[in-house]
């Protein structure tokens, strides 16, 4: 059953939707990329958050140009972390764009070819995506001097009014991006809005807050603390790299439930990193 669902997922076309006047969600079958910038602004500045999986560069560029104009380039590319589904197209993109890349200082070894991530653990779930996760790449990539640490003051280049928040657990240098003005939070993989281990849940995209993708999460204590950090920000809208945005009272209720019941909802009963 789930194998058939996985085939359906991989055949789904790329789509995009406008979330606010300056946030655009580019939806690939297994992960989202996010464009942030007002197409009507005179500055023309915009940022890309996440670089998708391999061979998605053309689709990302096409969607970006549909909003910001032919030949436009992001002022910055922001990586919440460096897993394969967030950096898969980064080399192709930077071959065409001259945009600088930013990530947390603790994430740089994985982006400069110095350290590999821990391998995925299929023991966390019986879901098909978890079961095939050992085939997912865990090797580092080497972006050299193109990637640099996010500013220590919390600012985000190319994203005026936003600040980054360290939300480790899924990876050591994972960050979320928060805008105080309207309390919108781009949460990367610190929280998903669907159960990422299950192909059926990925296909249905039913909005339900869950912890980070379990097969690649290696520090559950930090992941739990990061969910509390996110709740303390009191976001009005949460945009994840996996799933659709969720907002308002539904978000507040589910976020409270996730904090209180994190061990039951998010942490696997068994696994190498539990």
């Amino acid at each position: 059953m789930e194998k058939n669902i996985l085939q359906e997922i991989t055949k789904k076309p790329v789509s995009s939707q406008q979330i606010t006047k300056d946030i655009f969600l580019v939806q690939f079958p297994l992960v989202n990329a996010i464009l942030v910038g007002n197409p009507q602004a005179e500055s023309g500045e915009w940022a890309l958050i996440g670089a998708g999986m391999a061979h998605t560069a053309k689709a990302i560029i096409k969607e970006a140009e549909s909003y910001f104009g032919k030949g436009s380039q992001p002022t910055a590319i922001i990586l919440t972390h460096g897993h394969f589904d967030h950096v898969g197209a980064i080399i192709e993109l930077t071959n065409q764009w001259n945009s600088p890349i930013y990530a947390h200082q603790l994430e740089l070894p994985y982006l400069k070819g110095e350290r590999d991530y821990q391998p995925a653990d299929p023991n966390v779930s019986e879901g098909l995506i978890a079961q095939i996760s050992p085939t997912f790449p865990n090797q580092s990539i080497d972006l050299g001097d193109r990637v640099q640490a996010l500013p220590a003051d919390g600012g985000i280049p190319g994203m005026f009014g936003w600040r980054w928040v360290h939300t480790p657990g899924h990876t050591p240098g994972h960050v979320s991006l928060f805008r105080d003005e309207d309390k919108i939070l781009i949460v990367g993989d610190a929280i998903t809005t669907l159960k990422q281990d299950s192909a059926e849940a990925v296909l249905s995209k039913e909005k339900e807050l869950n912890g980070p993708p379990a097969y690649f999460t290696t520090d559950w204590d930090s992941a739990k603390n990061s969910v509390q950090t996110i709740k303390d920000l009191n976001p009005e809208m949460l945009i994840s790299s996996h799933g659709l945005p969720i907002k308002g009272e539904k978000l507040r209720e589910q976020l409270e439930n996730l904090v209180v019941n994190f061990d039951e909802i998010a942490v696997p009963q068994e696994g190498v990193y539990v």
Side-chain angles (χ1 to χ4, degrees):
M1 177 66 175
E2 276 218 335
K3 288 184 179 180
N4 293 333
I5 294 172
L6 184 62
Q7 290 176 350
E8 289 184 51
I9 291 171
T10 55
K11 290 179 180 178
K12 289 188 70 175
V14 178
S15 63
S16 68
Q17 62 173 296
Q18 185 169 357
I19 306 302
T20 69
K21 68 179 182 180
D22 63 350
I23 300 176
F24 307 87
L25 191 69
V26 183
Q27 298 172 263
F28 295 101
L30 292 174
V31 70
N32 302 324
I34 302 165
L35 312 174
V36 177
N38 188 342
Q40 307 304 319
E42 292 184 6
S43 67
E45 287 193 346
W46 60 279
L48 171 68
I49 296 93
M53 298 177 69
H55 311 301
T56 60
K58 288 183 179 179
I60 291 173
I61 292 170
K62 179 181 177 181
E63 294 297 330
E65 290 185 343
S66 73
Y67 293 116
F68 300 105
K70 187 73 173 177
S72 63
Q73 299 188 19
T75 307
I77 300 173
I78 313 299
L79 300 177
T80 59
H81 61 301
H83 278 155
F84 80 104
D85 52 338
H86 296 259
V87 301
I90 194 72
I91 300 298
E92 293 177 78
L93 291 172
T94 53
N95 284 340
Q96 181 155 336
W97 292 338
N98 295 317
S99 311
I101 307 165
Y102 296 90
H104 191 277
Q105 180 72 41
L106 293 176
E107 209 70 8
L108 295 186
Y110 307 99
L111 301 170
K112 288 177 172 285
E114 299 169 2
R115 186 182 306 165
D116 292 339
Y117 289 108
Q118 296 290 342
D121 179 13
N123 300 307
V124 296
S125 169
E126 295 181 356
L128 182 61
I129 294 180
Q131 290 301 300
I132 66 172
S133 64
T135 67
F136 298 161
N138 67 302
Q139 295 81 12
S140 64
I141 61 172
D142 189 359
L143 298 174
D145 294 336
R146 293 296 299 273
V147 63
Q148 52 192 295
L150 284 161
D153 64 2
I156 306 174
M159 294 180 66
F160 178 77
W162 294 77
R163 59 186 171 97
W164 63 266
V165 180
H166 190 202
T167 49
H170 187 56
T171 69
H174 189 286
V175 295
S176 300
L177 315 177
F178 188 64
R179 184 160 63 185
D180 289 274
E181 179 183 9
D182 52 13
K183 292 185 175 296
I184 293 179
L185 181 69
I186 297 173
V187 77
D189 281 12
I191 292 177
T192 59
T193 59
L194 49 73
K195 192 167 181 59
Q196 181 65 16
D197 304 336
S198 164
E200 186 174 9
V202 170
L203 181 64
S204 70
K205 293 193 180 297
E206 182 178 352
K207 295 180 183 181
E208 179 184 21
L209 288 195
N210 279 274
Y215 45 82
F216 262 147
T217 300
T218 55
D219 184 345
W220 286 102
D221 288 339
S222 293
K224 184 176 184 177
N225 291 337
S226 291
V227 171
Q228 181 65 58
T229 297
I230 288 167
K231 181 180 180 299
D232 291 343
L233 291 170
N234 193 27
E236 282 294 322
M237 178 186 294
L238 186 148
I239 304 172
S240 175
S241 295
H242 300 284
L244 296 173
I246 185 170
K247 62 183 180 178
E249 188 60 30
K250 184 175 182 179
L251 169 59
R252 286 186 285 274
E253 290 176 357
Q254 291 199 20
L255 192 50
E256 174 69 25
N257 182 52
L258 183 60
V259 167
V260 172
N261 299 298
F262 185 83
D263 291 344
E264 291 74 25
I265 295 172
V267 181
Q269 293 184 354
E270 58 183 70
V272 175
Y273 309 117
V274 178

